[in-house]
Amino acid sequence: STSSSSTSPSSSSTTPVVEKALSSIEIGTKPSKVEYQLGESLDVTGGIILAKYQDGTQDNIGITKEMVAVSDISTEGTKTVTVSYTYKGVTKTTSYEVTYKAKALQVSVVSFDKDT
């Protein structure tokens, strides 16, 4: 019979042994702190990324300071924090936004010089 050779169990059992490969990451939970005053350093506490793999599985991975990069935080405004995650040589990135604002105390420093 020729049908038994085409469905040999040895060939079908070796097929699923595919290296788990990273396909994408996304922000699962933003870090608890997303609003800062100028001069404060980025705090990623509580942040979690969702790493998705090509085999359909996914992992929750805590964000660490080593994983993030942020644009210039010495000025006010909305900043994009880029999060990178590497798994078996494959790096994927995602991002979230934080806001930097001037300290309220700086308002009192404004001088009211009038031209006379």
Side-chain angles (χ1 to χ4, degrees), residues 63-102:
I63 299 173
T64 64
K65 283 188 177 177
E66 292 75 30
M67 294 164 68
V68 299
V70 65
S71 50
D72 181 19
I73 57 174
S74 65
T75 57
E76 285 187 82
T78 301
K79 311 295 179 178
T80 299
V81 179
T82 302
V83 183
S84 302
Y85 174 64
T86 304
Y87 180 85
K88 290 189 177 176
V90 176
T91 302
K92 299 291 180 182
T93 60
T94 186
S95 63
Y96 67 96
E97 290 185 339
V98 295
T99 305
Y100 270 85
K101 294 178 179 172

Side-chain angles (χ1 to χ4, degrees), residues 3 10 19-21 25 31 36 38-39 47-48 57 67-68 74 82-83 92-93 100 103 106 111-113:
S3 63
S10 62
E19 280 276 323
K20 190 167 155 180
I25 66 170
Y36 296 87
L38 290 179
I48 294 171
T57 60
M67 294 164 68
V68 299
S74 65
T82 302
V83 183
K92 299 291 180 182
T93 60
Y100 270 85
K103 292 180 180 136
Q106 291 180 339
S111 59
F112 296 98
D113 291 332

Side-chain angles (χ1 to χ4, degrees), residues 19-76:
E19 280 276 323
K20 190 167 155 180
L22 188 62
S23 60
S24 68
I25 66 170
E26 61 187 55
I27 299 293
T29 307
K30 279 187 185 179
S32 43
K33 188 170 174 67
V34 292
E35 291 199 349
Y36 296 87
Q37 290 186 337
L38 290 179
E40 286 186 309
S41 58
L42 200 66
D43 182 357
V44 296
T45 304
I48 294 171
I49 56 164
L50 196 61
K52 297 185 175 183
Y53 303 95
Q54 286 169 354
D55 63 359
T57 60
Q58 54 190 40
D59 284 328
N60 287 328
I61 297 170
I63 299 173
T64 64
K65 283 188 177 177
E66 292 75 30
M67 294 164 68
V68 299
V70 65
S71 50
D72 181 19
I73 57 174
S74 65
T75 57
E76 285 187 82

